[in-house]
Amino acid sequence: MELTEAQQQELADAKAARAETRRPTVPALEAMLFDPLPVLDHGFVRVIDYMGDDSAVVQAARVSYGRGTRAVSEDRNLIRYLMRHWHSTPFEMCEIKFHVKLPIFVARQWIRHRTANVNEYSARYSVMDREFYIPAPEQLAAQSASNRQGRGDVLEGEDAARVLGLLRADANQTYDHYEEMLNEDESGAPRDPARQGLARELARMNLTLNTYTQWYWKTDLHNLLHFLRLRADAHAQYEIRVYADAMLQVLEAWVPAVAEAFRDYRLGAATLSSQMLVVTRRLLAGEAVEQPGSGLSKREWRELMAVLGREG
Amino acid sequence: MELTEAQQQELADAKAARAETRRPTVPALEAMLFDPLPVLDHGFVRVIDYMGDDSAVVQAARVSYGRGTRAVSEDRNLIRYLMRHWHSTPFEMCEIKFHVKLPIFVARQWIRHRTANVNEYSARYSVMDREFYIPAPEQLAAQSASNRQGRGDVLEGEDAARVLGLLRADANQTYDHYEEMLNEDESGAPRDPARQGLARELARMNLTLNTYTQWYWKTDLHNLLHFLRLRADAHAQYEIRVYADAMLQVLEAWVPAVAEAFRDYRLGAATLSSQMLVVTRRLLAGEAVEQPGSGLSKREWRELMAVLGREG
Amino acid sequence: MELTEAQQQELADAKAARAETRRPTVPALEAMLFDPLPVLDHGFVRVIDYMGDDSAVVQAARVSYGRGTRAVSEDRNLIRYLMRHWHSTPFEMCEIKFHVKLPIFVARQWIRHRTANVNEYSARYSVMDREFYIPAPEQLAAQSASNRQGRGDVLEGEDAARVLGLLRADANQTYDHYEEMLNEDESGAPRDPARQGLARELARMNLTLNTYTQWYWKTDLHNLLHFLRLRADAHAQYEIRVYADAMLQVLEAWVPAVAEAFRDYRLGAATLSSQMLVVTRRLLAGEAVEQPGSGLSKREWRELMAVLGREG
Amino acid sequence: MELTEAQQQELADAKAARAETRRPTVPALEAMLFDPLPVLDHGFVRVIDYMGDDSAVVQAARVSYGRGTRAVSEDRNLIRYLMRHWHSTPFEMCEIKFHVKLPIFVARQWIRHRTANVNEYSARYSVMDREFYIPAPEQLAAQSASNRQGRGDVLEGEDAARVLGLLRADANQTYDHYEEMLNEDESGAPRDPARQGLARELARMNLTLNTYTQWYWKTDLHNLLHFLRLRADAHAQYEIRVYADAMLQVLEAWVPAVAEAFRDYRLGAATLSSQMLVVTRRLLAGEAVEQPGSGLSKREWRELMAVLGREG
């Protein structure tokens, strides 16, 4: 994650600015503002702006005239109540804006969350940087044998080296050719005046999917939590999960009471199907229940046993 | 628009608070923050919070690292370009939150704009206030003869007095009965201990549609502009247009460059159909074009002549 | 739910029409098409159109070229898998359109679900019918003592009679005055030529919130399930729950495999918080756990005991 | 656009099926159903399902009980009225579902339209096909000199040949290495049993952005028109415009009255800013107006002159 001098200066200027405001302000988040949290080999997440705090959730739920004088513990309890009963609109009253740098194949997963505002760096308009995601060796995993959508064992020795070599070489070669097709120097003038360059909107198609892109991504707190629930999860692909993990840190700084309720009622919770509830009740009644005849598939049985903290 | 003492205190406390922030801050909007702009007889719009400013639009469009050092005029030109070419995502990067008090029949029109976040005062949970919208005499208009969805002449004399009398009496009577059915005093205890009160979620059905409700309404700048284009318009019902007009004032204070572009390319602009363009070209070529044979209906002809500043 | 002769004729014509199609077609739903399912005293839900079936969910999830030749049981298993793992996009591939007649206060709850398409009968443009919701006696409940947002005991004897009398009289009186203010006969001509009528968009404000309105409401299957999860639930107000219950019947006819999975993994399921999971594991281990010290509030404790089928 | 035998059979089966329905049915669209409309070198658009027709727009706008007995011309007039006055909800009452095969860089532009339902072929779960978009020679254009986001002259001779050679070679090489990293044969078994294959979700990152993907894309008619307005436009990149053009053909077959109104009031229309209106009025009054001093930038002036059919 190397920034140019101009970018570092922009960042430093943004961080140095101070203004007085009457708006709800969160010192712990102010301290993180603008600073990139590094993710993967060249990516980052940084907070650009935010609206609201824990109290703003409460204030909207009560449709009140001001921020109130109730105890912090009352606010916390209301937040827990709202989370537990799947209220969504009070959490929509907070908003956050991120600047994210991420590989294109991750951006393609991420964009499936439609309830956010996005401005992406345009490869029609601008030239992409030479930056690719190359996995760390411990992330080079084989296809999972049991889960068609997951990873298995980590590749080792020559297998790993070969893969890393191919990824690096192909990304660099396609980028070299991208530059060659563009035939532009940094000022936009032709490198080789004897040749015509290809339009940027066409040349970009030669880049590989691990090329880094970046965007501004803005969402409300309710939709952020939904994103985190799906992506800060063991089933999510590692390369998007690390972004979600960084955003969880931001969440803790920004809205600590919401973050706590989110851990208790979402991340750490489990949904039991009607069949799972039947099994659980039978177990509690002391019955010896086995998977065959339980009404659960083998996979559901394993999941339930894990949730209940029992050997499968 | 009378506030209770407790509400006035909440408001005063919110206004008195000050904090330091690194976020983009707009002094002209800070000065308006929390203060109700009166609308209709008991309604208001007030800004509770905001995110971003003119520069935030530009920064997101450029996906830049900071707020940049370009001239204000360059930012203004980019904003005008984005508005003119119907770009939407850069304007989505600003967000604003209002507290609005409004009659229920206006709330029902307003809520049709789905791309906003809303928390409404709950009449299942709380008791509604005795406040109704009664139109000012100059708003008591007859049905339009030419437009099935509009108003014609203002009612006068006894006709007007009769209508005002009915509206006032019915709103008060239905509210009296609402209170009687609830059978609650301010503490929630029964007024008449010999009777059982009706559940709030049921009793509310006896209220008339001019009863005031209130909500928190949060939206991004792009969707706010869309709302204003439809509602700060001569075809909108007067009772919602006055809310849009108040929000236009907020817009001018918040994002003056966007507001200017919005007036030039939206509010003050006109869309000419392909048939209208043909007529305009013929007129410019010096032809004497008449409505019959022009390809335009009578109403479209009148509209075009108005847009072109000609006698119909 | 009385229809005019013209409406009955329209309905009969729609039902009589037949056409040949290559689209997925569901005979059980075709049989229900257009027929109003009565709800409350004058309301209804009727299906106007639909797109897709159980197989369309599967086909989209597989991005396949046709409807495939797999066994029905394979499709069912995939649907259950998708439901269990909170996949949403395959369910968005089915769509349904309803015509609903409902009291305005119910419409105001309903419209909070924003991810649907709505066309409502316009009281700016047309005159409303004289139809109000008057609760059946067994629905006339007092405010709940324990739940600020619910109902308690049913009103009896004179208390009930008094409430019904007030609701009926006020709805009729405000409607009488609505008509008087409009001063229109059925052709739109003035009833009393000596008076000017008030514009429809204004006169409507005198109606009470139990007046019936109607709309076309179209949504995809994923969002329909979300609606049903929240509204076909004991916490939902009775007057909207009965609409959800009618739509559940439609669901069973339309997409039986999805409906089954929905009952198992949503309606009949329960989400246990991290604290609830700890308690459940302790109980399974044979510990004697009591509410105090369990990490659960009294209400959460009661809910957990109910879910686990134990005495509180 | 080569299909496997299995895919061709699926397609043929879907086309052969017939059922009876009471739903609105459009014979002209039924005739196109399931058939791929070829786009670019390997892409296509095909209609999978649809809901509604021209009359469904009208029926929803009127919230009527049936399809009515009004003349077709009345329906056409209402549709034109709704289009002209920017009504959106009646057009949302029709829905269409496409299966689209398209290069990934086009998919990335397309997905920015958030108000649609999408199921994309998963490269986490499945292996991608060896199919890339290679532009036709007449599409190999240089960067535009005047428009940073567009194309200029077509490349010729050796310049073109070189670009095509690079695109072809790189796409094939990165795909070869993708296969090598996966190390799977068609049954999923290892090609080279001595090596471990890389997980699909990782190997895909080596593919170039012109690789074809496919998805099911479902949207309502209002949002389809919005998509077409932006993408069937001279400013859109050629590679997405050809998809929009194919969908315009579908539109004509499906809802001919809506398509006609769309051409008149959207595609063939022009929006004049307030400054442009002033200039137009001055020209109509016979004034000799020049760009300097007109209040228009040079580019706006050129656009206005083009719209008015005058030499700049």
Side-chain angles (χ1 to χ4, degrees), chain D residues 110-127:
Chain D
W110 192 312
I111 200 78
R112 297 302 308 115
H113 297 263
R114 287 159 297 179
T115 44
N117 308 122
V118 186
N119 275 273
E120 186 171 352
Y121 185 85
S122 167
R124 280 188 82 189
Y125 190 82
S126 309
V127 177

Side-chain angles (χ1 to χ4, degrees), chain B residues 180 183-185 189-197, chain C residues 159 162:
Chain B
E180 185 179 336
N183 191 32
E184 290 187 45
D185 66 15
R191 283 167 187 244
D192 174 352
R195 288 200 295 116
Q196 270 218 299
Chain C
D159 284 354
R162 182 189 199 90

Side-chain angles (χ1 to χ4, degrees), chain A residues 151 162 177 201 204 237, chain D residues 151 180 201 204 237:
Chain A
R151 300 188 188 175
R162 182 190 199 88
H177 293 157
E201 66 179 27
R204 61 168 162 172
Q237 179 165 353
Chain D
R151 299 188 190 175
E180 185 178 336
E201 67 178 27
R204 62 169 160 171
Q237 180 165 352

